[in-house]
Amino acid sequence: MAAVRNPSAKRTMISIPTEIITDEILPKLPVNSLARFKCVSKSFNTLISSPEFINIHLQQSLSSSTNRLLILAEENGSDLYSLDIDSPDYDTTVINIPLPHTLDYWLDNGVVSIVGSVNGLLCVGILRYIDGPDEFKQVVINPSTRVFREVPYIDIPILGNAIRVSFGFGYDDINDDYKVVRVVENAIQYDPYQGDELYNREVMVYSLNDNTWKLVEDVHRPIYSLRVRHNGVLMKNHLLHSIFWCLDMYYIYCFDVQSDKWVDEVPLMDLFTDPMADFIEDNEHERVHVVNLGVLDGCLCITVTRAMSNLSDVVWMMKEYGVKESWIKLFEISRCSPCCCKPCCYYFDGPYGFRQGSKQEVLVRRPLKIAGLFWFNIGSEGYGKTEEISGIPVFDQACFFTGSLVPIPGSKLIISPAD
């Protein structure tokens, strides 16, 4: 007699429609998972490598704030680190980012800095200290796919005594080109009693597509002097912002990597007389300094502090880009905790970004020369540290970074010693 099969023992295979996999599941995965899935089949490899999928994955990551890492540059060192700040166990997930061995000449006597990041590409700068003038080298890497391309080295023009150098990294979406911008200012005549009298400003732009540097500006006696505390701050992928100074006043100017030109001045409230600056009403003659320029939640931000008292730092946000009246006082951090009378106890850099899923907690760093990050509750008064992040190496710079599959033209694979 033939055996009778039990229908309940019959396996049921569930088939997921292809479009659900390609349009709904894969774009939400991290880059390291997608790299493994490229080995599943030729069709998966073709799909994940296609420009259309790379763009869909990037837009998904940007809109949902997923695949987000914090990049740290070692203080006075040559190491880069990544930190999954959104992970529950971020205290134990600091990872060293390998740099190509072709840069060993620069890294042996150099200091690494973060020029900027856009669309999952990171531009890293290396300042090499030698007996002569300082030398600057840049490399563009994709830490997620571990590919890189070196930017050709060019000398810094030396025309005077005081030299200021700033860099920026942006994306020209009109020509689908990533660009590095270098701004060099020379004080040709310097009077220690009356200040810098004559400047020369040179602006060079490097195109990743063309692999060449181009001179776009070389002018004498610019109206405003560049005040370099950071590299160019990127907005809308193609607008790089820098702080300039003239006659005790600050200005924000913008360089557009699409046109390779300086464009509009960004309106800034008068930090000396503006009635919105309520933190200086106690002494209207007390000078204030812009100590940081950055981007928070897609909005331009500045951090200002009193020149003399140094009791607190105030962060202002431009809610509507280009509109002076849209500047708001976002929050203030006291430089001393309630239980500490020492000054500069919590002098901070940043803010770097909001906590995932929150608009109340921002990530800032502890004092210079001290390792550590903490979340700050912007709704609190004065001292509002909510959570310290431990296990952070001593770092000089930090920025949020979105992992992506975006390729680099003419790139090579970063090979670590373990490989």
Side-chain angles (χ1 to χ4, degrees):
M1 177 183 292
V4 178
R5 289 184 177 181
N6 183 356
S8 62
K10 187 176 182 180
R11 292 184 177 181
T12 301
M13 300 297 293
I14 300 176
S15 178
I16 302 175
T18 303
E19 58 271 17
I20 297 296
I21 298 176
T22 58
D23 299 343
E24 300 294 334
I25 298 177
L26 292 181
K28 298 178 181 179
L29 296 179
V31 176
N32 55 357
S33 297
L34 293 172
R36 293 196 299 268
F37 290 164
K38 289 172 71 173
C39 302
V40 171
S41 65
K42 289 184 178 180
S43 60
F44 263 42
N45 181 51
T46 300
L47 170 67
I48 296 172
S49 303
S50 67
E52 294 79 12
F53 179 83
I54 291 173
N55 184 62
I56 291 172
H57 179 264
L58 173 64
Q59 298 308 318
Q60 166 67 27
S61 298
L62 292 173
S63 62
S64 61
S65 296
T66 54
N67 294 312
R68 192 174 70 154
L69 298 172
L70 188 72
I71 305 295
L72 307 173
E74 181 186 16
E75 184 179 45
N76 296 322
S78 58
D79 285 329
L80 279 177
Y81 305 95
S82 68
L83 177 68
D84 187 354
I85 204 68
D86 298 320
S87 171
D89 58 346
Y90 52 69
D91 282 357
T92 60
T93 56
V94 178
I95 299 173
N96 186 273
I97 299 175
L99 294 173
H101 292 296
T102 55
L103 297 174
D104 285 350
Y105 165 81
W106 294 90
L107 295 171
D108 287 343
N109 295 289
V111 174
V112 168
S113 66
I114 300 170
V115 175
S117 70
V118 59
N119 293 345
L121 301 188
L122 182 69
C123 183
V124 178
I126 306 171
L127 168 59
R128 185 171 182 266
Y129 297 104
I130 54 178
D131 293 335
D134 294 338
E135 296 179 340
F136 296 85
K137 175 71 172 179
Q138 299 79 42
V139 60
V140 178
I141 66 175
N142 185 327
S144 302
T145 59
R146 296 179 63 178
V147 297
F148 76 99
R149 182 171 184 176
E150 290 187 40
V151 176
Y153 170 77
I154 54 173
D155 290 324
I156 299 292
I158 302 175
L159 305 177
N161 296 322
I163 301 176
R164 300 184 180 97
V165 185
S166 178
F167 294 89
F169 183 54
Y171 176 58
D172 174 5
D173 60 351
I174 294 177
N175 299 295
D176 189 23
D177 193 9
Y178 293 86
K179 296 180 178 180
V180 180
V181 179
R182 188 188 76 177
V183 182
V184 178
E185 277 200 352
N186 279 276
I188 300 175
Q189 296 176 3
Y190 180 73
D191 185 334
Y193 298 100
Q194 301 193 15
D196 301 340
E197 293 184 341
L198 179 62
Y199 282 97
N200 172 268
R201 184 171 66 226
E202 177 197 87
V203 181
M204 301 282 292
V205 177
Y206 169 76
S207 163
L208 202 60
N209 286 347
D210 298 336
N211 194 32
T212 57
W213 285 97
K214 178 176 67 174
L215 178 66
V216 299
E217 183 182 58
D218 187 6
V219 297
H220 287 295
R221 202 177 284 278
I223 299 174
Y224 306 115
S225 168
L226 180 67
R227 285 297 185 255
V228 178
R229 287 187 58 87
H230 51 70
N231 291 314
V233 173
L234 188 65
M235 287 275 295
K236 303 180 180 179
N237 286 355
H238 65 99
L239 299 176
L240 287 166
H241 300 78
S242 299
I243 289 286
F244 286 79
W245 179 89
C246 180
L247 300 175
D248 293 332
M249 293 295 294
Y250 290 95
Y251 302 85
I252 301 176
Y253 275 87
C254 177
F255 188 88
D256 190 345
V257 300
Q258 291 179 343
S259 62
D260 291 341
K261 295 179 180 178
W262 295 101
V263 290
D264 297 335
E265 173 190 351
V266 178
L268 183 63
M269 85 285 284
D270 189 337
L271 296 178
F272 303 104
T273 61
D274 194 295
M276 288 195 302
D278 57 359
F279 60 95
I280 64 170
E281 286 182 354
D282 296 338
N283 185 353
E284 64 182 3
H285 301 293
E286 186 175 289
R287 299 291 185 182
V288 293
H289 289 312
V290 175
V291 296
N292 192 62
L293 179 68
V295 175
L296 183 64
D297 200 29
C299 297
L300 200 65
C301 289
I302 61 168
T303 305
V304 298
T305 188
R306 294 176 179 179
M308 299 299 294
S309 60
N310 292 327
L311 294 177
S312 63
D313 294 308
V314 182
V315 175
W316 296 79
M317 172 186 282
M318 181 179 258
K319 297 289 288 183
E320 185 176 352
Y321 184 77
V323 179
K324 179 178 180 179
E325 294 73 20
S326 71
W327 284 103
I328 64 168
K329 178 181 173 181
L330 187 63
F331 65 95
E332 179 175 356
I333 291 185
S334 172
R335 290 196 175 192
C336 292
S337 71
C339 59
C340 178
C341 60
K342 295 180 180 180
C344 301
C345 183
Y346 277 97
Y347 173 75
F348 77 99
D349 185 27
Y352 302 119
F354 283 109
R355 197 167 198 164
Q356 192 172 51
S358 170
K359 297 298 182 182
Q360 282 296 111
E361 291 179 287
V362 293
L363 186 68
V364 296
R365 70 178 291 178
R366 291 190 61 194
L368 298 177
K369 309 298 182 183
I370 298 178
L373 295 163
F374 64 94
W375 294 104
F376 181 85
N377 190 323
I378 65 176
S380 63
E381 292 293 333
Y383 178 79
K385 181 173 70 71
T386 58
E387 182 182 344
E388 189 93 15
I389 299 174
S390 61
I392 304 299
V394 178
F395 67 95
D396 183 58
Q397 288 178 288
C399 75
F400 270 111
F401 169 85
T402 299
S404 80
L405 295 161
V406 172
I408 301 174
S411 64
K412 298 178 181 179
L413 185 65
I414 298 175
I415 301 176
S416 66
D419 299 329

